[in-house]
Amino acid sequence: MLVFAALSLQASRNIVHASLIMIPAMAFAARDLGSIDGRAPRRTLRPVQIALVALFALVAVVGVTQQADLDLRDYPVASTAWMREQGMLEPDSRVVTRDFVGNYLEVKYGPDDVQVFFDDRVDMYPADVIEQYSQLIDKNTDPGALLDDLGATAVLWDTDSPFGDWLEDPANGWRIVHRDPGWVVAVPTTPNG
């Protein structure tokens, strides 16, 4: 039990395992707290039951009617739709984008239809890919050679970033082909390949 408690302090993914291991110890520690007889319903608790059911129903109805399923305002929804229409998000495309946009593309189009350069599952990528992504978000790095090494066919990036500013300069070998509030789509002036 102590080993799993220590592991749960190391990483949050271990909390579930630790809680399962701790159940027998917690049951043993609570053995003298008394018992509940569920065979005889108490009439005094009936109004509380009704109030809880009504409150649950109210919360469920308000939650379903008042809240959108997904808030995509920070995602390049229009830009990705435009790229899809232009044939820029095909399985053989090499689109470089932010990690969270990689997740969006995988959910929207499926992992077999769109290959992403990077998403936020950092533990699933080799160290060199993580380093490449780190270079793209580092304001002191010139990403031109990296994009060439990656064979990037397009870049979808936010405009409010050093890399977004870098893409805006045509002297860097990239041309903006689409703009969306907060996002740009750029392609190399000389195609890779």
Side-chain angles (χ1 to χ4, degrees):
M1 190 174 80
L2 292 174
V3 169
F4 276 91
L7 287 172
S8 70
L9 296 174
Q10 294 279 318
S12 60
R13 67 176 176 252
N14 295 328
I15 292 174
V16 173
H17 306 299
S19 64
L20 292 173
I21 297 297
M22 291 181 187
I23 288 174
M26 293 181 342
F28 181 77
R31 70 185 181 282
D32 294 329
L33 291 178
S35 63
I36 298 174
D37 185 7
R39 295 175 293 200
R42 296 188 178 223
R43 294 186 185 271
T44 57
L45 294 179
R46 187 77 171 148
V48 174
Q49 280 180 313
I50 292 171
L52 286 175
V53 168
L55 180 63
F56 175 75
L58 178 67
V59 167
V61 167
V62 169
V64 167
T65 60
Q66 300 296 318
Q67 183 175 327
D69 292 335
L70 238 42
D71 181 5
L72 297 175
R73 80 181 111 195
D74 293 332
Y75 289 82
V77 175
S79 293
T80 56
W82 181 85
M83 290 178 77
R84 188 67 169 194
E85 289 171 6
Q86 303 302 312
M88 298 173 76
L89 287 177
E90 300 302 317
D92 59 339
S93 299
R94 305 276 300 166
V95 178
V96 174
T97 190
R98 291 277 192 181
D99 56 349
F100 65 92
V101 176
N103 293 110
Y104 170 72
L105 292 172
E106 290 168 333
V107 169
K108 176 77 175 168
Y109 300 110
D112 294 331
D113 290 337
V114 175
Q115 301 296 317
V116 300
F117 161 64
F118 199 72
D119 61 30
D120 71 355
R121 299 173 302 158
V122 179
D123 56 336
M124 302 297 289
Y125 288 95
D128 60 331
V129 175
I130 296 168
E131 177 59 30
Q132 289 170 331
Y133 182 73
S134 297
Q135 289 175 20
L136 290 175
I137 59 176
D138 182 0
K139 65 181 179 186
N140 298 317
T141 303
D142 180 9
L146 176 60
L147 293 173
D148 288 342
D149 289 346
L150 292 172
T153 57
V155 174
L156 170 60
W157 210 265
D158 53 298
T159 56
D160 189 23
S161 65
F163 185 37
D165 293 340
W166 184 89
L167 289 169
E168 294 280 352
D169 185 354
N172 290 324
W174 287 77
R175 158 175 74 90
I176 305 297
V177 293
H178 180 78
R179 289 183 189 280
D180 200 26
W183 296 92
V184 292
V185 177
V187 296
T189 53
T190 308
N192 292 314

